[in-house]
Amino acid sequence: VETLPEQTMRAYHQYSEFSNDLQKSIYLRNLHETNETIFYSLIIAHMKEMIPVLYTPIVGTAVRTHSSQ
């Protein structure tokens, strides 16, 4: 069993493995759907880095990318 800080650190490591903001945004949205506690802990710990990834323009990029495929 991991503590919340350990789980948050593991989630951040997974987040850091993604190479672009769209992938990071998808990861964060999935985390939010599966474990809100870790999601909010992660956002609070790395707010300055993650708020731009969660912000709406990333969603616009996803729509443009998906519609062009």
Side-chain angles (χ1 to χ4, degrees):
V1 177
E2 292 180 313
T3 65
L4 181 57
E6 290 169 336
Q7 292 177 58
T8 302
M9 190 171 14
R10 183 169 41 86
Y12 183 70
H13 177 72
Q14 291 171 336
Y15 169 87
S16 299
E17 293 292 314
F18 294 105
S19 60
N20 64 55
D21 286 347
L22 179 56
Q23 292 172 333
K24 290 177 179 181
S25 178
I26 292 168
Y27 172 77
L28 291 174
R29 301 236 180 248
N30 287 335
L31 183 60
H32 182 258
E33 290 177 14
T34 58
N35 193 321
E36 286 186 355
T37 302
I38 296 174
F39 171 80
Y40 286 112
S41 177
L42 182 63
I43 296 302
I44 289 167
H46 302 279
M47 189 173 294
K48 195 171 192 175
E49 176 182 354
M50 293 184 179
I51 290 299
V53 172
L54 290 172
Y55 185 62
T56 306
I58 297 299
V59 175
T61 301
V63 170
R64 282 193 305 275
T65 301
H66 180 71
S67 66
S68 68
Q69 293 180 352

